[in-house]
Amino acid sequence: MTFTSIIWKELRERPTAMITSVLSILLGVTALVAIRNVSVFSEQEVAGKLDTLGANVLVLPKGVTLQDYYAADMHEETIPEQHVAELALAGLTGVEGLSPKLCVPIKLQEKSATLTGILPQADLQTMAAWQGGRLFKKHVGCKAKINVANAQDDAPEALARRRTIQELHDHEAVIGADIAGTLGLNTGDAVDMLGETFTVIATLEPTGTIDDTRVFAHLHTVQRLAGAGEVVNVIEVMGCCEDVANGLVDQLGTMLPDTRIVTIANVVETQVSINRMMTRLSYLFLAILIAVGGASMASAMYANVMERRREIGTLMALGATRRFVTRLFLVKAGLLGLAGGLGGYLLGSGLALVLGPNFAGVAVQPIPSLALIAAGTAVLVSFAASYFPARRAAGLDPCLCFQEV
Amino acid sequence: MLRLEQVSKVYRKRGEEIAALQTTNLEIADGDFVAIIGPSGSGKTTLLSTLGGMLAPTTGKMWIDDQSVYDLPVADRARLRQEKIGFVFQTFNLVPYLTARENVSIPMYLAGMTPAAQRERATELLESVGLAERMEHKPSELSTGQQQRVALARTLANNPDLILADEPTGNLDPASRQMVLSYFEKFNQTGKTIVMVTHDIAAARTAKRMLNLSEGVLEGIPHEPVLKSA
């Protein structure tokens, strides 16, 4: 006979009330863990976007609204390509690159894809040279990492990461990871698009964004083949740092009044507010866990004490101290809380794996540290809820052993 | 030696005082077997609770050997019960979710005995009351007579000097009743002091001394003990 064997055997004897109280704690912890798990990964994604794209500014047609930065060009409204030249020759400080894009839906070997026209940086540099000017002014004192292609790092494979390409000729194409994988395309292959043949000069690494389903070609080729004229869907302006990006918003707004200027911070604003709401919701669930789980545990423990009065009296008659009786109930509560907490962590993590990608658009993974928080919270709630019932049990009159109760 | 010195117990309920036990002096020598009889409400349970160190008297002192029991802190009184007192209850008071062996182990566990030693001693005690085949049975799987034998084995677990029995034959059939009384006689022969509260006059006659408790007043009844084993 050991202390834990008494507790386990008693739990097995009267499982119903205890299962109910564990369930209430388990459900509270499940909701808490699921929400916290999704919100942590959502916050990480926002932080990642801000980190990699925080210095970028999008120039969009006036009427376009935007939820996904990577899909900024996936709409039918256009702005004149002339704006690219205006920006290139405006001598903007701290701009490292411009990437105009035009999107056209196509069928590629019977598969749906998006043909995206982009303008290589070499063309912009040529344009600036023709005009006898220098492309952009250096941001004095900027220590940020340069975000665009340059002579030393101009491989086409860098497009997905750098958002621009240094060189791209008329009938060359760069293929997104999903399309390349699905169609089995490799560098050097030929593909037919909109009636003309292109040579694949690179396939991109997976990015987890819509870019994986794109085929990139020269902007002017896409404009010609699509008959769209000299227009683009978006101009992505790469700043060297966030300070520059914030300053650019006003400058660009003044320069291009018929456009909408959006920063990455604007794009993720909705996600940030959802994250904030989810964080508040997790606090609400914590409160519910404490209130409902605690009340349920306290009620079950009080009932358990009442039900076991005679047994407690007998144990006391046989020599059990008040401390022993208190411990008997508190350890039991701790075990129930631990079961509810760990069970809730497992369920909540499982729920987050489903909810994250399907409802919040973020891939999530279980967060081991949440297990500690979940178990700790559940155990604390159980202890707190069982403290008074345990004290009541310890204060019972041992003479109850002589009575029919 | 068990001694009550000017002990009384008064309950106060809704401003009214009820004397459950009038001022009482009592000495029970080591190895004595005392039966206390009396009608319901006469104060028998109050007296037994007081003797068990579980109900402090309103006045007076109770001594076990040279120790004034109610001058001890509550935790020390619990330890005193572990070491020196064994209880037998009318309804056995076995813990329903524990097996016979585990029920017998409770006092040993509370006294800090190792699980292996508990097991060995519980097995030995259950064998001595004829329950070798019922050790892993729960109380609900045992007859009332078997349950009382488990309770008797539990009483002896820590080898107490004093056994306090509350109506030990009250819920038993005649055969089981006789068997319990035989065990008491046997325990008494091994030097244990027994105080038995009972309604059962025939059972009381097996004791060495009989006391009558009526309206809180305890007085001796002269008699010759009837030996059950005879």
Side-chain angles (χ1 to χ4, degrees):
Chain A
M1 169 83 80
T2 60
F3 188 73
T4 42
S5 72
I6 296 178
I7 291 172
W8 280 123
K9 283 174 182 263
E10 197 276 328
L11 275 173
R12 287 220 303 261
E13 182 78 7
R14 304 181 179 100
T16 320
M18 292 303 150
I19 284 173
T20 312
S21 58
V22 169
L23 264 182
S24 65
I25 287 182
L26 183 137
L27 291 176
V29 173
T30 299
L32 181 69
V33 168
I35 290 173
R36 198 67 207 126
N37 203 328
V38 172
S39 66
V40 162
F41 278 90
S42 186
E43 280 162 11
Q44 278 177 8
E45 193 187 77
V46 168
K49 277 183 186 168
L50 283 169
D51 198 34
T52 55
L53 305 169
N56 293 7
V57 177
L58 296 174
V59 179
L60 292 159
K62 200 85 176 170
V64 172
T65 56
L66 194 58
Q67 293 297 321
D68 182 356
Y69 185 92
Y70 293 94
D73 54 347
M74 306 287 270
H75 53 80
E76 289 177 355
E77 294 189 45
T78 56
I79 50 176
E81 191 196 338
Q82 175 63 27
H83 289 337
V84 180
E86 289 169 29
L87 293 173
L89 301 172
L92 297 169
T93 301
V95 171
E96 300 290 353
L98 293 173
S99 180
K101 285 178 187 159
L102 177 68
C103 246
V104 180
I106 57 161
K107 286 279 182 191
L108 190 60
Q109 296 176 17
E110 305 304 315
K111 297 275 179 192
S112 293
T114 302
L115 177 61
T116 302
I118 54 173
L119 197 62
Q121 295 300 291
D123 285 22
L124 283 171
Q125 286 154 359
T126 307
M127 187 196 300
W130 272 93
Q131 297 290 329
R134 189 167 161 266
L135 196 60
F136 313 129
K137 289 180 192 163
K138 193 170 169 54
H139 178 214
V140 179
C142 178
K143 290 175 184 163
K145 199 172 132 188
I146 292 171
N147 195 27
V148 296
N150 54 49
Q152 283 76 43
D153 187 8
D154 61 355
E157 286 81 0
L159 171 63
R161 179 168 42 91
R162 294 186 175 275
R163 322 274 315 140
T164 63
I165 192 165
Q166 185 65 21
E167 299 277 356
L168 185 65
H169 298 111
D170 275 356
H171 285 86
E172 290 177 343
V174 177
I175 314 286
D178 286 356
I179 292 283
T182 312
L183 301 179
L185 292 172
N186 293 303
T187 304
D189 288 353
V191 284
D192 290 333
M193 293 185 292
L194 299 174
E196 294 192 8
T197 304
F198 291 73
T199 304
V200 177
I201 61 163
T203 56
L204 301 178
E205 291 171 2
T207 61
T209 69
I210 200 163
D211 285 356
D212 293 345
T213 62
R214 289 180 192 266
V215 176
F216 296 92
H218 196 289
L219 174 67
H220 296 153
T221 309
V222 175
Q223 283 172 341
R224 180 172 56 79
L225 292 176
E230 293 183 351
V231 293
V232 294
N233 294 120
V234 65
I235 304 168
E236 200 171 347
V237 182
M238 288 74 158
C240 60
C241 63
E242 280 182 60
D243 289 346
V244 162
N246 293 335
L248 277 175
V249 174
D250 290 340
Q251 282 186 64
L252 296 177
T254 311
M255 276 178 65
L256 309 171
D258 60 332
T259 60
R260 183 161 180 253
I261 312 298
V262 175
T263 63
I264 185 66
N266 298 139
V267 178
V268 296
E269 202 171 353
T270 312
Q271 202 172 347
V272 168
S273 63
I274 289 172
N275 288 347
R276 209 176 294 132
M277 188 189 75
M278 286 203 294
T279 303
R280 286 183 190 146
L281 210 57
S282 67
Y283 293 138
L284 178 71
F285 272 99
L286 182 64
I288 291 172
L289 161 68
I290 291 169
V292 179
S296 170
M297 180 64 80
S299 158
M301 278 294 177
Y302 268 120
N304 193 238
V305 169
M306 294 310 283
E307 195 178 7
R308 297 172 68 188
R309 276 181 301 164
R310 192 158 194 222
E311 177 194 327
I312 295 162
T314 304
L315 288 174
M316 287 173 142
L318 297 177
T321 58
R322 287 180 178 177
R323 193 160 167 267
F324 172 86
V325 175
T326 307
R327 220 155 48 92
L328 198 62
F329 283 90
L330 285 183
V331 172
K332 176 177 163 179
L335 287 172
L336 292 173
L338 193 66
L342 292 179
Y345 167 75
L346 292 176
L347 270 179
S349 298
L351 194 63
L353 290 176
V354 177
L355 292 182
N358 292 317
F359 291 91
V362 286
V364 301
Q365 286 180 334
I367 304 172
S369 61
L370 274 181
L372 206 66
I373 295 167
T377 309
V379 168
L380 274 179
V381 168
S382 301
F383 273 150
S386 305
Y387 178 73
F388 288 106
R391 287 289 301 270
R392 184 169 184 168
L396 284 175
D397 184 353
C399 299
L400 282 166
C401 65
F402 294 124
Q403 296 166 14
E404 288 287 344
V405 287
Chain B
M1 166 82 82
L2 185 69
R3 187 154 53 93
L4 297 182
E5 194 177 280
Q6 298 290 304
V7 165
S8 72
K9 181 68 188 177
V10 177
Y11 293 108
R12 290 181 178 81
K13 207 168 185 182
R14 298 189 193 95
E16 194 182 340
E17 287 194 349
I18 299 160
L21 192 63
Q22 304 284 4
T23 305
T24 303
N25 291 297
L26 176 68
E27 272 191 19
I28 300 173
D30 290 343
D32 204 352
F33 183 178
V34 179
I36 300 170
I37 58 169
S40 294
S42 60
K44 297 193 299 294
T45 301
T46 298
L47 178 62
L48 206 60
S49 301
T50 304
L51 293 173
M54 296 187 290
L55 184 67
T58 309
T59 63
K61 283 185 185 276
M62 190 199 105
W63 303 77
I64 291 182
D65 300 328
D66 293 327
Q67 182 68 61
S68 173
V69 173
Y70 291 99
D71 287 333
L72 292 171
V74 174
D76 287 356
R77 266 188 267 155
R79 271 186 280 278
L80 181 89
R81 283 196 295 276
Q82 274 173 24
E83 292 164 10
K84 294 197 170 176
I85 306 174
F87 287 90
V88 182
F89 304 99
Q90 179 176 0
T91 46
F92 328 127
N93 292 22
L94 298 176
V95 179
Y97 51 86
L98 298 180
T99 63
R101 180 159 25 210
E102 288 164 338
N103 267 286
V104 176
S105 298
I106 291 173
M108 296 181 269
Y109 162 69
L110 292 172
M113 203 181 274
T114 63
Q118 289 171 36
R119 192 179 170 82
E120 192 182 337
R121 171 95 173 127
T123 304
E124 181 190 312
L125 287 166
L126 284 167
E127 280 170 355
S128 75
V129 293
L131 290 175
E133 307 300 317
R134 295 283 185 271
M135 293 199 198
E136 302 308 323
H137 288 227
K138 288 186 178 175
S140 58
E141 298 159 355
L142 299 171
S143 70
T144 52
Q146 288 169 331
Q147 287 182 50
Q148 190 60 304
R149 278 189 276 162
V150 174
L152 288 174
R154 182 181 65 185
T155 304
L156 297 178
N158 287 339
N159 197 21
D161 296 328
L162 173 65
I163 294 173
L164 300 177
D166 178 35
E167 299 280 6
T169 56
N171 276 6
L172 300 178
D173 58 82
S176 299
R177 172 185 166 278
Q178 183 145 351
M179 177 203 65
V180 166
L181 293 172
S182 301
Y183 276 116
F184 276 8
E185 195 181 309
K186 208 156 81 183
F187 299 161
N188 185 234
Q189 282 165 0
T190 59
K192 301 203 181 302
T193 308
I194 300 175
V195 179
M196 176 174 69
V197 161
T198 183
H199 277 112
D200 182 348
I201 301 290
R205 288 190 197 285
T206 62
K208 289 178 182 167
R209 274 208 290 162
M210 274 174 70
L211 300 172
N212 182 49
L213 186 62
S214 180
E215 295 181 348
V217 178
L218 197 62
E219 47 192 26
I221 305 172
H223 91 292
E224 285 298 316
V226 178
L227 294 180
K228 279 285 150 197
S229 54

